[in-house]
Amino acid sequence: MKHFPENLSAKLEIRKQNNALRKLPLSSKRIDFSSNDYLGFSQSEIIFNHTHEYLITNNVIQNGATGSRLLSGNHKLYQETENCIASFHQSETALIFNSGYNANIGFFSAVPQKGDLILYDELCHASIRDGIQLSKAKAYKFNHNDFEDLENLILRNPNTIIYIVTESVFSMDGDCPNLEELVSVSTKHNCYLVVDEAHALGVFGSIGEGLVQMLGLQEHVFARIMTFGKGLGCHGAAVLGSNELREYLINFVRSFIYTTGLSPHSVAAILVAYQHLEIDSASISKLRENIIFFNQEKHFLGLKPMFVRSKSAIQSAIIPGNERVKTIASQLQEKGFDVKAILSPTVPEGQERLRICLHSYNSQEEISEVLRLLCTFLF
């Protein structure tokens, strides 16, 4: 076997020297403050059992998809699930993708055309930026949640088809844009607004429908990307939009056309999770209570200044330096709390942080203790 290329070895060595080398974590029995399973759906026996019951009751073949949905992978369960998703989100249509990454890569590489312009928030997720890099459209980032900066970019590009891209909850900071103001800017300049709702599904809205819908803005958004691996605890994603958009995606998005469709079991899990979301108000309420309690506790303990302002399930404490934030995360882990450090270059240098995720199944005692320990290790 040939030696590993020297230029690749050099890149790994730099990561090691910067104390930033990524490694796959082992599962642990620590108290969960790191996963995106906000409502505990991935652990739900009810959802697990109902998924299997649905497959058996409806005599759905469980041997898995055998190809692209344009070939043999488009089993009948897709239509029922996509109709359910569209109805839940008050959208004309929904189109399921295998993951949020596939949805973003596909959408942004195929929808904006040469001569168009993409204006995206500087903190947009890597999957959005990767999709934009594959696009033939020009793209510029605007300062985080700064719509004056956004409008200046719009005014510099008259007579151009413009796509404005943001997230309803930013995955590293946990904060939200002022979507009403963003819709106003988008409408004023006749732009196409695209919102990734990956971390809002299950968290915002009376039945966890997301921030766009909670604010009643769905008619003003060109496309929403809903990812199921967070609040719904299952695999996959969907792009919400018009019938014309769905037809375009089916015909031109390579990450949809050239990939094997999800198995019937995976699609059934999405359907059952949505059905459960509509009736599980207790989990949504408990999550909201925990978010409020966390914010009250960090204020009481004097920790508020180090946290990014957030009313979502993602709470980020900025602790500059890879070595320091890793040390504090390790100390919390030794005390039985699964809290992860986010290092540069995943976030900019100087913005290293503890990313604490809250869940419906965390107790207030656990929240108080993890913050008390954080105080101890910091001060």
Side-chain angles (χ1 to χ4, degrees), residues 71-341:
L71 297 175
S72 56
N74 194 43
H75 44 81
K76 62 180 182 179
L77 188 52
Y78 265 114
Q79 183 176 351
E80 181 180 356
T81 304
E82 288 173 338
N83 288 343
C84 169
I85 294 169
S87 175
F88 183 93
H89 289 295
Q90 299 176 356
S91 172
E92 273 189 31
T93 63
L95 184 67
I96 290 175
F97 283 75
N98 286 18
S99 69
Y101 191 88
N102 272 5
N104 277 330
I105 283 281
F107 181 94
F108 291 105
S109 64
V111 175
Q113 300 293 293
K114 186 176 182 180
D116 296 348
L117 179 65
I118 305 168
L119 301 177
Y120 64 99
D121 190 290
E122 63 179 340
L123 296 189
C124 276
H125 192 265
S127 60
I128 293 173
R129 288 184 280 113
D130 286 354
I132 289 171
Q133 282 190 323
L134 294 172
S135 173
K136 294 180 181 178
K138 289 183 179 179
Y140 300 105
K141 61 186 177 184
F142 59 90
N143 295 332
H144 181 50
N145 288 338
D146 185 342
F147 302 143
E148 184 177 345
D149 186 37
L150 169 64
E151 196 158 17
N152 286 335
L153 289 169
I154 294 171
L155 292 173
R156 288 180 205 162
N157 294 275
N159 305 315
T160 305
I161 294 175
I162 297 176
Y163 294 87
I164 299 172
V165 187
T166 192
E167 301 178 27
S168 53
V169 177
F170 286 88
S171 60
M172 283 295 113
D173 285 25
D175 62 338
C176 304
N178 184 331
L179 285 178
E180 292 102 331
E181 185 181 347
L182 186 55
V183 163
S184 177
V185 171
S186 176
T187 303
K188 176 182 175 182
H189 296 285
N190 197 28
C191 300
Y192 294 92
L193 181 57
V194 182
V195 183
D196 186 314
E197 293 239 69
H199 293 277
L201 179 59
V203 179
F204 287 95
S206 59
I207 52 173
E209 61 270 32
L211 187 59
V212 169
Q213 215 169 326
M214 185 187 87
L215 298 172
L217 301 174
Q218 58 272 18
E219 295 300 321
H220 303 283
V221 177
F222 176 66
R224 284 175 280 168
I225 292 96
M226 316 299 302
T227 299
F228 310 140
K230 281 76 176 173
L232 290 192
C234 56
H235 204 60
V239 175
L240 309 178
S242 66
N243 286 306
E244 239 181 335
L245 176 61
R246 174 186 160 90
E247 188 173 32
Y248 183 88
L249 297 176
I250 290 170
N251 279 274
F252 293 100
V253 171
R254 296 172 71 85
S255 65
F256 178 85
I257 297 167
Y258 299 111
T259 194
T260 298
L262 292 171
S263 69
H265 184 278
S266 293
V267 180
I270 297 168
L271 176 62
V272 171
Y274 264 103
Q275 292 170 343
H276 193 68
L277 193 58
E278 288 192 276
I279 61 172
D280 190 14
S281 58
S283 291
I284 297 171
S285 296
K286 186 62 168 64
L287 174 61
R288 291 208 186 106
E289 288 172 12
N290 283 347
I291 293 169
I292 292 169
F293 183 76
F294 186 96
N295 280 315
Q296 290 172 340
E297 284 290 282
K298 74 186 184 189
H299 179 73
F300 176 74
L301 293 168
L303 292 169
K304 186 176 179 180
M306 70 183 305
F307 276 87
V308 178
R309 186 176 183 275
S310 167
K311 294 184 178 180
S312 76
I314 301 168
Q315 303 285 331
S316 287
I318 306 300
I319 304 173
N322 281 347
E323 185 63 41
R324 185 162 186 246
V325 74
K326 282 180 74 173
T327 298
I328 292 173
S330 296
Q331 290 173 318
L332 289 169
Q333 291 163 13
E334 287 169 5
K335 293 293 184 179
F337 292 93
D338 192 12
V339 176
K340 294 292 194 300

